[in-house]
Amino acid sequence: HRCGGHLNNMSFHRKPFFFIILLGMLFTSVPVAAVQTVILVANSSHFSLLHRIETAVYATPTPNPKLVRLEAEELVDAHQLETLCENHCALVVAVGAQATKAVLETKTKHPILSILIRKHAFDDLLEKHQHDNGTPPHIQAIFLDQPFKRQLNLILNLLPLKKKYGTVGVLLGPTSQLFQERLEEDVKEYPFKLHIIHVTNQDNVISALDVLLEDVDLIWAIPDGRVYNERTARGLLLSAYRKHVPMVGFSRTYVSNGALAAVYSS
């Protein structure tokens, strides 16, 4: 765990253990001679993670795959992946939404593992791919999303005693509104209540938050590209700050820019 507003609940920030376990399952079930190439597709901002993956993989007992890096911006088609694999790709690892999109657009037949991606972004990409191509890809994912109850526990511990029976405000967009039933079910175990406002593609997000701020003790940010994005983030945080209503975010970036705290995956 980290202090100072950040709550890092994942213990694998030094070594990507989930990834190593998955590779272990993949490669220990086949003969050593069959262990071949894994392509790591990522943009430049994720290259430090790739270095940690490589260090951890090569530190494990044999058999080890051959790891090949490829920038997402340079990925053009499936033939490019075939060229990187001298014989056959055992796995294509897409790091982040941009890389996942790039890999899916190649229409590769190789199995894909998408990591460092939020579920709603993954679902959107998968739906578009199937709509355009008609067949689902061979893909699995490790999501960044944190369980709602973990976030609710943080909120409970952050609220002062006199507000623990107060109201927590939530803005739900077109994607996150699918979680409403689960949110309402999970919050039954807590003393506070939720005030939910829906935001459509036509609504002004800042105006919707201003309405919500009049009636709540804290804002709980649920990931949704329509509500929380690069265009709206500053305005949302400033509006909450001016009304003296704290916000619990979903990333380290939100805490750095003014949210009170967040539960996030490293």
Side-chain angles (χ1 to χ4, degrees):
H1 298 288
R2 293 178 182 172
C3 301
H6 304 288
L7 179 58
N8 184 344
N9 59 78
M10 308 301 281
S11 61
F12 57 91
H13 61 281
R14 293 187 181 176
K15 289 187 178 180
F17 290 117
F18 287 175
F19 182 81
I20 304 306
I21 290 170
L22 188 140
L23 284 182
M25 292 170 62
L26 177 66
F27 291 109
T28 55
S29 62
V30 297
V32 174
V35 176
Q36 296 180 34
T37 304
V38 171
I39 297 180
L40 305 173
V41 182
N43 58 30
S44 56
S45 64
H46 289 137
F47 274 7
S48 61
L49 171 66
L50 298 191
H51 177 70
R52 295 201 301 274
I53 288 174
E54 290 169 338
T55 301
V57 168
Y58 291 134
T60 59
T62 54
N64 288 322
K66 174 184 177 183
L67 301 181
V68 178
R69 293 188 185 189
L70 177 63
E71 288 199 32
E73 297 87 346
E74 297 178 356
L75 182 56
V76 178
D77 53 35
H79 177 71
Q80 192 174 359
L81 297 176
E82 294 291 351
T83 302
L84 288 172
C85 297
E86 296 172 355
N87 296 304
H88 177 70
C89 288
L91 184 68
V92 179
V93 179
V95 184
Q98 181 182 351
T100 302
K101 180 175 183 291
V103 172
L104 286 173
E105 287 178 349
T106 69
K107 303 178 185 178
T108 179
K109 302 300 183 183
H110 299 303
I112 305 164
L113 174 65
S114 175
I115 64 175
L116 284 189
I117 190 169
R118 296 198 178 277
K119 187 177 186 303
H120 73 84
F122 178 80
D123 289 343
D124 288 345
L125 288 172
L126 204 58
E127 182 179 358
K128 184 179 186 306
H129 175 87
Q130 291 184 226
H131 179 268
D132 294 344
N133 301 288
T135 57
H138 301 286
I139 187 168
Q140 296 292 330
I142 299 175
F143 299 124
L144 278 171
D145 304 78
Q146 292 292 326
F148 290 140
K149 286 189 177 181
R150 194 171 289 168
Q151 298 172 63
L152 289 167
N153 287 337
L154 175 63
I155 291 171
L156 181 65
N157 282 279
L158 289 175
L159 286 172
L161 183 61
K162 64 180 180 180
K163 293 186 177 181
K164 288 191 187 294
Y165 293 88
T167 303
V168 172
V170 177
L171 290 178
L172 295 181
T175 302
S176 55
Q177 67 181 359
L178 300 175
F179 303 137
Q180 180 167 343
E181 185 175 344
R182 195 194 328 163
L183 289 171
E184 292 174 337
E185 184 63 31
D186 287 350
V187 83
K188 290 178 180 179
E189 300 178 17
Y190 297 84
F192 47 82
K193 60 182 179 180
L194 294 185
H195 181 181
I196 296 174
I197 289 183
H198 287 220
V199 178
T200 68
N201 289 325
Q202 291 73 42
D203 291 333
N204 183 302
V205 178
I206 307 300
S207 298
L209 180 67
D210 286 338
V211 173
L212 192 59
L213 288 169
E214 298 297 328
D215 190 40
V216 299
D217 300 298
L218 181 142
I219 296 294
W220 177 17
I222 304 294
D224 188 295
R226 173 66 185 90
V227 181
Y228 299 98
N229 55 59
E230 293 180 356
R231 298 185 304 276
T232 64
R234 178 177 172 81
L236 292 169
L237 286 163
L238 281 175
S239 293
Y241 177 77
R242 287 169 181 156
K243 294 289 181 69
H244 304 288
V245 177
M247 178 184 291
V248 169
F250 48 80
S251 70
R252 183 170 187 164
T253 301
Y254 264 86
V255 177
S256 299
N257 288 310
L260 176 64
V263 185
Y264 68 97
S265 302
S266 62

